[in-house]
Amino acid sequence: MKVMKSLILGSAAMFAGAGAQAADLPVKAKAVEYVKICSLYGAGFYYIPGSDTCIKMGGYLRASVALGAQGLWAAPTGGLGGAHDRLSNYYTAQSRFDLNVDTRTATEYGLVRTYAELAFTWTAGGYNGAGSTAINGATSYSGNATGASGSGAIAGGSMAVYYAFMQFAGFTFGRAQSQFSSPWTNYPANSYDGLPGGGGWEAVNQVAYTADFGQGITASFSAEDQVVRNTTNIWNVSGATAAGLATGSYGAGDIGGSRAPDLVAMLRVDQAWGLFQASVAAHDNHAGYYGVDETTGHPDDKWGWAGQLALSIKNVPTGPGDTINVQGVYTNGASGYNFQPYGPYTFALYRGAGGAGAYQSVGLAGVSDSVFVAGAGQQLTTTYGFNGGYTHNWNANWNTSIFGGWAAVRYNNTAKGYVCGAFVTTLALSSGVGGCNPDFNYSVVGTATRWTPVKNLTFSAELAYVMLDQKYASGSTVTLPIQAGVAKPGAAYELKDQNSLALLLRAQRNW
């Protein structure tokens, strides 16, 4: 017993001595916490070590090739693609890496959230005509390029900021999806970018407030940046040129500085059966000057507006998970809420067949918010349209969708007089029965099939057919100037409806 007691006392003395020596050494830093799962906000969230903030990272990597398109992902409606000649790409390839970061923190005032999504993209370009004389057939590359840096080659590309916003107490600040758009935006059952007929996916800087009334009912009010995102064109037709008219641009671009944000209100009902949404927007059209300086005067501002209804029906009787999404929109002086930013604003589609005395046929058209001439006020442009899609799941690995969109552009009689005057004077418009009419319809129909052999890996094929229904009188011709960039000669062209077909093949891995 005495031996055991001595051993215990000796051990205690030894540890005490060791403790006294250790006190003289630097204090070792506390080990960081292990990463812990955060179950408050769904799968994929973790606590940032040493904090009460949860974070989730995700994204995707994709490789795509589009046949019959000059870029990704839209059938050509102008430029090199619309020219349909030897300078037009038969295919265009793209690779993209997307990264998104979502953080959330619970506070006494409610959830604080930040979200950002960045995309790093390489897209092959094309070759523009660069010849300055009739015998110089030179071309030059336009698009993401490669170059040399030191002893090694480097590849260019582009970086896009898709989203960058924070949310707190019902407010949203930063670059987020417009409150006007439906949840599926311009993708009701597809990945085709250029679908008309409703608000689009492109995010916009904004300040928004969302009120949640419970039972899936919410209302949002926002002030959104109109620069680029929500403005198509304000054309000063007095500044129209032959080169511009030949591409579907009906005047000199004359958008003034920002004066007021777009004001948007939205009501949404989200239930197990699907979703219903109503949106309205007010848009200020602020033009620049009639001439080169401020002494030439300017037209007064005019406010335009847009309204949209959207409906989603989930789990339709054709199969589990099958979905129908549809939306319709009407605009006056706010065409960007129908012809969304990923779609075309000008059209110049060529085909080989032309009427008697015409080199080829061409379809010319342009979208604007308003047009005017020097000394006169703005004439607001009216548009309306719809889009929709249906997705059917054959099984857990295969699904097929059909989709389409249609939109109309209508100029009032005063605006038609401005545009037609420019066409007659500048392009020697020769009108047949029905006369000059810059109104047009634009539509897209398509189908997509997707195969997902394992979770989050999808291979897809998507076909899209676009149609331009222009309203110039049958048999009308215009005399276009030489267009070296698309290798079109100066000649007479018949104004005629046009179409185009494109196919997208894609592999995508989400994570």
Side-chain angles (χ1 to χ4, degrees):
M1 187 71 179
K2 290 182 179 180
V3 174
M4 181 63 69
K5 183 176 180 180
S6 298
L7 288 173
I8 293 173
L9 292 174
S11 299
M14 180 181 67
F15 284 115
Q21 294 174 1
D24 297 329
L25 298 175
V27 177
K28 186 177 180 180
K30 183 180 179 181
V32 297
E33 297 181 33
Y34 288 104
V35 174
K36 298 188 297 184
I37 293 174
C38 174
S39 59
L40 297 174
Y41 310 112
F45 281 91
Y46 295 86
Y47 283 102
I48 297 175
S51 79
D52 59 353
T53 296
C54 299
I55 187 170
K56 178 180 180 180
M57 300 182 67
Y60 62 81
L61 191 147
R62 71 164 57 144
S64 309
V65 61
L67 284 69
Q70 198 66 25
L72 290 209
W73 162 222
T77 54
L80 292 172
H84 291 122
D85 59 20
R86 289 184 63 83
L87 299 186
S88 305
N89 282 356
Y90 278 8
Y91 71 92
T92 302
Q94 183 187 85
S95 298
R96 172 176 292 167
F97 173 71
D98 178 281
L99 173 67
N100 61 71
V101 181
D102 191 345
T103 72
R104 306 188 189 190
T105 307
T107 74
E108 60 269 31
Y109 297 101
L111 179 68
V112 176
R113 182 192 183 198
T114 67
Y115 184 84
E117 183 175 356
L118 309 176
F120 305 86
T121 306
W122 167 271
T123 306
Y127 287 86
N128 299 287
S132 57
T133 68
I135 61 173
N136 184 355
T139 61
S140 62
Y141 181 77
S142 176
N144 292 153
T146 59
S149 177
S151 59
I154 61 171
S158 64
M159 187 192 80
V161 180
Y162 287 161
Y163 296 105
F165 64 84
M166 66 180 70
Q167 293 176 315
F168 171 68
F171 287 93
T172 298
F173 307 94
R175 182 175 170 83
Q177 181 179 307
S178 171
Q179 303 302 319
F180 184 89
S181 296
S182 63
W184 59 88
T185 63
N186 50 299
Y187 305 110
N190 57 289
S191 61
Y192 184 84
D193 287 328
L195 207 64
W201 172 84
E202 177 76 8
V204 59
N205 291 326
Q206 63 183 274
V207 176
Y209 178 75
T210 299
D212 190 340
F213 301 106
Q215 304 298 316
I217 302 173
T218 58
S220 295
F221 307 90
S222 62
E224 302 183 0
D225 186 7
Q226 67 166 237
V227 177
V228 181
R229 165 60 175 82
N230 289 329
T231 301
T232 58
N233 291 296
I234 296 177
W235 277 320
N236 182 348
V237 183
S238 294
T241 64
L245 290 169
T247 64
S249 181
Y250 290 165
D254 205 350
I255 301 171
S258 60
R259 288 296 182 272
D262 283 14
L263 304 177
V264 177
M266 179 270 287
L267 176 66
R268 180 180 296 172
V269 179
D270 198 343
Q271 305 288 335
W273 56 262
L275 173 146
F276 172 78
Q277 178 177 314
S279 310
V280 294
H283 174 79
D284 179 36
N285 291 287
H286 178 75
Y289 296 100
Y290 291 131
V292 71
D293 62 54
E294 61 186 25
T295 65
T296 60
H298 60 82
D300 293 336
D301 286 19
K302 273 195 174 182
W303 279 83
W305 66 278
Q308 176 178 272
L309 298 176
L311 177 67
S312 179
I313 303 175
K314 301 176 182 178
N315 297 316
V316 295
T318 53
D322 289 8
T323 306
I324 296 174
N325 295 321
V326 294
Q327 58 192 359
V329 63
Y330 184 96
T331 77
N332 181 245
S335 302
Y337 290 98
N338 187 1
F339 287 81
Q340 47 84 21
Y342 276 13
Y345 293 157
T346 58
F347 301 78
L349 268 168
Y350 293 84
R351 283 297 178 188
Y359 171 71
Q360 285 181 338
S361 67
V362 64
L364 299 176
V367 182
S368 67
D369 292 340
S370 73
V371 300
F372 65 91
V373 294
Q378 297 186 66
Q379 302 297 316
L380 300 185
T381 305
T382 296
T383 80
Y384 45 90
F386 65 89
N387 65 44
Y390 163 67
T391 301
H392 173 62
N393 296 283
W394 301 101
N395 54 43
N397 305 103
W398 288 89
N399 72 62
T400 297
S401 65
I402 56 174
F403 59 89
W406 178 90
V409 173
R410 299 292 183 262
Y411 292 93
N412 66 30
N413 289 334
T414 302
K416 287 178 180 177
Y418 296 160
V419 174
C420 290
F423 265 87
V424 170
T425 303
T426 310
L427 299 185
L429 174 65
S430 171
S431 296
V433 177
C436 173
N437 187 352
D439 294 347
F440 71 95
N441 302 329
Y442 174 60
S443 55
V444 180
V445 294
T447 183
T449 293
R450 305 172 184 89
W451 175 47
T452 305
V454 296
K455 185 179 180 181
N456 294 328
L457 174 64
T458 301
F459 300 90
S460 61
E462 186 167 340
L463 188 69
Y465 181 69
V466 307
M467 294 158 283
L468 175 64
D469 174 19
Q470 55 90 51
K471 302 299 182 181
Y472 291 104
S474 176
S476 296
T477 62
V478 289
T479 302
L480 302 184
I482 185 171
Q483 299 171 78
V486 294
K488 292 299 180 184
Y493 292 79
E494 180 187 6
L495 288 169
K496 193 175 182 181
D497 296 348
Q498 302 291 337
N499 55 71
S500 192
L501 181 69
L503 172 68
L504 175 72
L505 304 175
R506 172 172 288 168
Q508 179 165 319
R509 171 72 162 93
N510 295 332
W511 58 279

